[in-house]
Amino acid sequence: MLSIRGLTKRYGERTALDKLSLEIAPGSFTVLLGPNGAGKSTLFQVLTGLFAADEGEVTVAGFSHRSEPAAALRSLGVVFQQMSLDLDLSIRRNLSLQADLHGLPRKVAAERIVEGCRRLNVDVDLDRKVRELSGGNRRKVELVRAGLHRPQVLLMDEATVGLDPKSRRDLLAALHEDVATRGCSVLWATHWVEEAEQADRVVVLHKGKLLADGSREEVTRALGEPSLEQGFIARTT
Ligand code: ADP
């Protein structure tokens, strides 16, 4: 579903991604675990076309970034670390603007907006301004927005930053449900080990390279400490 081959990205002398290769299967929830500076945001910036890689290839849902960029990008939904809703517009307006960008018919968009907000328990009037929402609800609206065009791959870049534990759990649960019901693939970047609890797969990124890859148990074993958290700290600091 998402194929990353030999991806390298340099900022001057610094190599942020170092010949990174990763295959993400359909209908899977993969946690990309990396300390600050590991290269997670750089990877997402390259995947979403914000930056060009120096080397390597990316394919999304069978579409090559290089030869079919529009189709590749249409197959992605993204929630970035920085909140990117317009605070002075309503929830509904923020979402319908995105639907318009994707060329969704108005009726389909209106239905998906209501259905998405209901599913994520955004239990407030959709005509309220985003400024009036809690941090947790703002994140949920961003997740609804990322899924409006029904992308096959969802990229989440440290999406729980600033959320309280309940909102964090709700967001993760909603995504796991998306994987189960719609069969989309999630790549969830974080430096919080506990967010890897229900992951199908854990990928540890350190200094732009893969340090370990597999189930939670396999990665814990590969890192050589009694727990994933201990191994992660010992091997990435
Ligand atoms: P993460 O998201 O895992 O914290 P980043 O992708 O932000 O990691 O950073 C990876 C490395 O690239 C770090 O060493 C960081 O300092 C460097 N880096 C990131 N963005 C830039 C930039 N715009 N210019 C120079 N160096 C950068």
Side-chain angles (χ1 to χ4, degrees), residues 4-25:
I4 297 165
R5 269 166 270 142
L7 213 56
T8 295
K9 171 72 190 166
R10 297 182 201 94
Y11 299 107
E13 295 288 287
R14 177 162 298 174
T15 302
L17 296 175
D18 193 357
K19 299 190 182 73
L20 183 72
S21 293
L22 187 60
E23 298 285 330
I24 304 288

Side-chain angles (χ1 to χ4, degrees), residues 62-93:
F63 300 109
S64 153
H65 251 206
R66 199 165 294 150
S67 55
E68 296 167 287
L73 294 180
R74 259 201 312 277
S75 308
L76 289 174
V78 192
V79 176
F80 284 111
Q81 214 169 323
Q82 299 289 337
M83 210 269 299
S84 61
L85 296 167
D86 188 322
L87 295 177
D88 290 315
L89 295 181
S90 69
I91 301 169
R92 202 185 305 275
R93 189 76 188 113

